[in-house]
Every structure is written in C-alpha cells, then in structure tokens.
Amino acid sequence: MKFLSYILSPIFVFSFTLLLVIFHPFQWLSYNLFGVKGHAKVVALLNYCLVKSMLIIGVTVRLINKHKIPENTSIIFVSNHQSISDIPPIGWYFRKHNPKFVAKIELGKGAPSVSYNLRKGGAALIDRKDSKQSIGELIKFAKRINKNKWGGVIFPEGTRSKDGKPKKFATSGLKVITKFNKDGYIVPLTINNSWELFQYGKFPLGIGNPITITAHEPIKIDSLPFDELLERTEKIITDHIK
C-alpha cells in the first residue's frame, strides 16, 4: 500500500492544489458580484470538489447524523481535529448552516482559495501569541454568528492530533463563543480516521482509509452551566473516537 501511495499522492496533491487555484478567482467574482450568499455557494462547491478529490487516494468520507440540527439559530460545531482533511467535509455536509471556522491568523495569507475564504467568508483569524487579539476576534466572530444565524466551527484541541488520540480541550475560545450565543446550540462532532492520511508524515499520504464524521445530538447552550456544557461536549466527542 505504501508503494502505491508514492504514485497516487503526487496526483492527489496536484489535483487538490489545482482546485484551490481554480476556485480562487471564482470566489473573488462571486463575493464582489453577489455578496456573501453568492460567495458561500462557491465555497460549498469547492468543498464538495475537495472531498471528492480524496477518492484519488481511495479515501471516502461519510457523515453519520441521526439528529435534526435546528435551523434559524446559531449552531456551534465542536469537533476533535485530526488533519486538514477535516475541514472540507464539515464545510460541505453542513453547508445549510453556513459554517465559519476559527483558524490561526497565519492561514489568512498565502493560500489560494483558503486565505480568501477565511478573510471574506466570516471566519475568526486568531493570533495564538496575542491573547488580547484572540479574545477580541472571537467576540466579533461570536456576535457575527449570532446576528446571521450561522454555524461556527471550533476545534478546542487547538491543534491537530497526529495519532488520533484526543488532546485536552481548551476552554477560552468556546467560552467566548457560547457567551454571545446563549439561544443557540452546540453540535458535537467526532471525526475518525482522518489522521491516517498523514500516518507516514507529509509524504507519502496514507491511502484507502475511510473517514467518518459523526454528528451527535444538539445541546442547547443555555441548558447547562458552561463548565458542565464543556465537560459533556468533550465526553461525547472523545467517547466516540475509535
């Protein structure tokens, strides 16, 4: 399998990068001609294409969702984080909720499509070395989510797990977001197997490993004190990591 991955990995990386380059001008056009809603549709299509591009390396992505996610309210998707391949599926499968990500500020520059989407699409770009900037950005993000009834996506581990084992959830980001979205819901997400895409490091890529995203029952944010809400959310997510 590893030998085959040396052949397929460059094809996938080329295709993935090409999609980002191709969609960059379309994002610019859609945003400037049709505004936020037009831009969101192009981003959703990009995410769909990125998810399907993983078939080149034999990776399928499946959503398991047995619960109805409330509409016309803010939704905070809280997820474990295993690799960069976590992001396009969340963007695609939950597109109805206009998911906006909390991301590190470095991603706001230099990456075709990705940086433009983060800057213009409503994401929170936080500087991990500057707590004042991070809190201020998260407050603006939380208010934006609440006003527009969007979905917010946060990975409380703060960084990717390289072996799939969950890291301890940080509290500050989620605490700020929930503070301004008391009438919304948290939807815990558990991602399995995406870390195996990078089981050999950056190259070659792991191939043939199916990724699953499980959406758990929504939790009303104001139904529990924050500490209990965080504890329950973290337990639900980590208990389902295989």
Side-chain angles (χ1 to χ4, degrees):
M1 289 288 283
K2 190 172 182 180
F3 172 76
L4 184 59
S5 72
Y6 277 103
I7 299 172
L8 297 179
S9 293
I11 300 173
F12 167 71
V13 171
F14 174 79
S15 301
F16 194 93
T17 305
L18 184 61
L19 285 169
L20 295 179
V21 172
I22 289 173
F23 272 87
H24 189 90
F26 286 108
Q27 282 196 60
W28 184 91
L29 283 170
S30 63
Y31 181 82
N32 286 280
L33 293 178
F34 305 108
V36 174
K37 290 185 178 180
H39 177 241
K41 291 181 179 180
V42 172
V43 171
L45 180 58
L46 168 61
N47 284 323
Y48 171 80
C49 293
L50 293 176
V51 170
K52 292 304 179 183
S53 73
M54 288 193 280
L55 292 172
I56 295 171
I57 50 174
V59 174
T60 58
V61 185
R62 182 167 66 103
L63 172 67
I64 302 171
N65 181 19
K66 299 178 181 180
H67 309 281
K68 180 174 176 57
I69 299 176
E71 298 181 18
N72 300 315
T73 187
S74 52
I75 302 294
I76 312 303
F77 296 99
V78 182
S79 177
N80 62 314
H81 194 19
Q82 295 188 347
S83 77
I84 59 170
S85 61
D86 301 339
I87 297 170
I90 292 175
W92 169 247
Y93 287 122
F94 302 105
R95 62 193 181 279
K96 182 188 293 186
H97 303 279
N98 293 300
K100 312 298 179 183
F101 290 81
V102 176
K104 57 185 181 180
I105 197 169
E106 292 85 352
L107 292 174
K109 295 181 180 179
S113 281
V114 175
S115 297
Y116 188 86
N117 179 37
L118 291 174
R119 292 197 312 272
K120 299 294 187 180
L125 291 170
I126 62 173
D127 186 346
R128 294 176 179 174
K129 299 177 182 178
D130 186 341
S131 59
K132 184 177 180 180
Q133 185 275 346
S134 296
I135 296 299
E137 183 71 8
L138 285 168
I139 289 173
K140 290 189 289 185
F141 176 76
K143 290 180 177 180
R144 195 158 57 238
I145 294 298
N146 183 267
K147 178 183 177 181
N148 293 287
K149 308 304 179 189
W150 286 342
V153 184
I154 185 168
F155 302 110
E157 291 168 291
T159 187
R160 298 187 293 270
S161 170
K162 295 181 180 180
D163 57 5
K165 296 179 181 177
K167 301 176 184 294
K168 184 65 180 175
F169 282 17
T171 63
S172 56
L174 187 58
K175 190 171 187 177
V176 171
I177 296 172
T178 55
K179 180 180 179 181
F180 293 93
N181 288 275
K182 295 291 187 181
D183 56 340
Y185 291 78
I186 280 180
V187 174
L189 302 177
T190 300
I191 298 174
N192 277 299
N193 294 339
S194 74
W195 70 272
E196 294 188 12
L197 191 65
F198 296 95
Q199 60 183 289
Y200 306 126
K202 293 183 179 180
F203 188 87
L205 299 171
I207 63 174
N209 300 301
I211 297 171
T212 60
I213 300 175
T214 303
H216 304 286
E217 185 176 5
I219 307 169
K220 190 75 161 60
I221 290 173
D222 62 5
S223 67
L224 293 169
F226 176 75
D227 289 344
E228 292 181 31
L229 183 67
L230 176 67
E231 182 180 357
R232 180 178 173 184
T233 301
E234 183 173 3
K235 188 176 189 308
I236 289 170
I237 293 170
T238 57
D239 281 355
H240 289 82
I241 296 175
K242 299 176 182 178

